[in-house]
Amino acid sequence: MNKVLPRLGFLIPPGNPNTEGEVIKMAGSEYSIHFTRMVAHGETGSLEGQDERNQAQIDHLPENIELLKLVKPAVVAMAHTASSYTLGKTGEAELIQKLEDQYQVPFITAFGSVVKALHQIKAKRIAFGTPYSEQNTLRCKNLLEAYGFEVVNFGNLPGVKNIYDETTERALQLVHQVNSPDADAIFVSGVGMPTIDILAQGEAETGKPIISSIAATMWNALQVAKAKSSIKNFGGLLAGRY
């Protein structure tokens, strides 16, 4: 008899070429993974028009969840960090409650997963970096502070033209750019920029836990779905060291 595995559902921005591959690379045999693309228009991945695309994705979440719910997921994860910067703390909490009440399925966000992960590793003083504009980087800072974290250093990756064209090498550059001796942990924002392959290396080089948006989202999805899995090679959080 075939055992029914927990199913993890991920909502992905329409132009993102990186996240599905990273989630698949992290996936284990104890659960299955399923994807639906969100709705946004304009030049995906560009820093210009990001607010408008964020809002479009938020506005279309009900129809996306309707589609993803057909596979009966144990959790639906919105794999897009910057949507939380558009929503703010109160707006995100209200949206999650509304969607969970309407669709009767646990709904998590990338940024909410980061907050949960930072609490899991007992980090209070945070250094962070983004591939976003200065405006959205400041929104990230404000949101971390709204959740009670102290931001000791932060910055955005220079020269970004399109987030989806960024590389793991540049993600590691960002880790070192924002690292601070005062930080308990380093947070790398941006699901669209590939990060998972530099987490272990970055931790070894900085001596600090490194949390990326997609690693935290995967970890949180597993927690919510009660899918027991230790994922090696992608940092201490996923390996279960905390």
Side-chain angles (χ1 to χ4, degrees), residues 44 57 156:
T44 58
Q57 290 178 163
N156 56 334

Side-chain angles (χ1 to χ4, degrees), residues 64-119:
N64 294 145
I65 296 174
E66 287 278 9
L67 289 173
L68 198 50
K69 193 180 176 185
L70 296 175
V71 302
K72 300 179 181 178
V75 59
V76 171
M78 181 170 66
H80 188 249
T81 326
S83 291
S84 297
Y85 307 152
T86 297
L87 286 163
K89 183 179 179 182
T90 300
E92 179 163 311
E94 291 173 349
L95 177 65
I96 290 171
Q97 188 65 58
K98 177 183 176 182
L99 294 173
E100 290 187 337
D101 289 346
Q102 184 173 355
Y103 296 104
Q104 297 299 297
V105 61
F107 180 83
I108 63 175
T109 67
F111 189 84
S113 299
V114 169
V115 170
K116 184 176 177 181
L118 291 173
H119 285 308

Side-chain angles (χ1 to χ4, degrees), residues 5-181:
L5 300 175
R7 297 167 184 164
L8 313 184
F10 293 85
L11 300 175
I12 310 292
N16 183 337
N18 298 316
T19 298
E20 284 149 317
E22 292 207 305
V23 171
I24 290 167
K25 188 181 287 189
M26 290 186 285
S29 59
E30 305 90 348
Y31 49 90
S32 61
I33 52 176
H34 308 270
F35 303 98
T36 287
R37 292 279 172 162
M38 294 190 283
V39 177
H41 305 286
E43 185 185 351
T44 58
S46 170
L47 300 188
E48 294 185 9
Q50 187 174 22
D51 287 346
E52 292 78 8
R53 296 194 306 276
N54 291 353
Q55 190 60 54
Q57 290 178 163
I58 293 164
D59 292 343
H60 287 275
L61 281 172
E63 61 203 75
N64 294 145
I65 296 174
E66 287 278 9
L67 289 173
L68 198 50
K69 193 180 176 185
L70 296 175
V71 302
K72 300 179 181 178
V75 59
V76 171
M78 181 170 66
H80 188 249
T81 326
S83 291
S84 297
Y85 307 152
T86 297
L87 286 163
K89 183 179 179 182
T90 300
E92 179 163 311
E94 291 173 349
L95 177 65
I96 290 171
Q97 188 65 58
K98 177 183 176 182
L99 294 173
E100 290 187 337
D101 289 346
Q102 184 173 355
Y103 296 104
Q104 297 299 297
V105 61
F107 180 83
I108 63 175
T109 67
F111 189 84
S113 299
V114 169
V115 170
K116 184 176 177 181
L118 291 173
H119 285 308
Q120 176 71 18
I121 67 174
K122 297 180 171 55
K124 297 179 179 179
R125 296 161 63 84
I126 311 301
F128 82 89
T130 83
Y132 303 138
S133 65
E134 181 178 353
Q135 179 187 42
N136 273 320
T137 302
L138 288 172
R139 285 174 176 169
C140 177
K141 178 179 183 289
N142 292 339
L143 197 52
L144 283 167
E145 291 173 339
Y147 278 95
F149 298 103
E150 180 184 353
V151 175
V152 297
N153 196 30
F154 70 99
N156 56 334
L157 190 63
V160 175
K161 294 183 172 58
N162 190 295
I163 294 167
Y164 301 147
D165 293 336
E166 291 302 329
T167 64
T168 53
E169 291 80 11
R170 289 261 288 169
L172 185 61
Q173 172 189 325
L174 182 59
V175 165
H176 289 288
Q177 175 185 327
V178 301
N179 184 26
S180 165

